[in-house]
Amino acid sequence: MAPCAEASEPRSGEHVPETPDWTCGSCGEDWPCATKRRNLLIEYQVDRASLSVYLGSCLAAATHDLRTAPVTALQDRFIGWVPRGSRTV
């Protein structure tokens, strides 16, 4: 199981990554798929920093498995979709 995947056994429909290809175990799309992205935004809605750390660990693991993929494409896929909050100074 990938370091960033849930520690317990995945339940049906949870959209967890299948490694080493990093496809969704439920729908077959590149992980994180659209459904998983929506679920992660809901789960981490008050803690985007933790979401970024989680996805960063997934990105690191995927970079190891998907060595031929362009790094910028992997960055976009794993963390580029996370909405940025407004910064206050």
Side-chain angles (χ1 to χ4, degrees), residues 2 4 8 25 27-28 33 38 42-43 46-47 51 55 57 59 65 67-69 72 75 79-80 82 84-85 89:
C4 72
S8 61
C27 66
C33 62
R38 269 191 311 277
I42 292 167
E43 182 179 347
V46 296
D47 193 3
L51 174 58
L55 291 171
S57 70
L59 172 61
D65 290 336
R67 294 173 194 241
T68 60
T72 54
Q75 289 172 334
I79 58 176
V82 177
R84 298 177 193 261
V89 179

Side-chain angles (χ1 to χ4, degrees), residues 32-52 54-55 78-85:
C33 62
T35 300
K36 186 62 174 185
R37 289 177 182 193
R38 269 191 311 277
N39 292 344
L40 287 169
L41 288 175
I42 292 167
E43 182 179 347
Y44 288 94
Q45 66 183 338
V46 296
D47 193 3
R48 291 283 165 81
S50 291
L51 174 58
S52 295
Y54 169 70
L55 291 171
F78 283 87
I79 58 176
W81 59 271
V82 177
R84 298 177 193 261

Side-chain angles (χ1 to χ4, degrees), residues 1 4 8-9 16 18 20 24 33 41 51 60 76 81 83 85 87:
M1 182 176 289
C4 72
S8 61
E9 286 296 314
V16 295
E18 296 275 331
C24 177
C33 62
L41 288 175
L51 174 58
D76 289 344
W81 59 271
R87 291 188 169 195

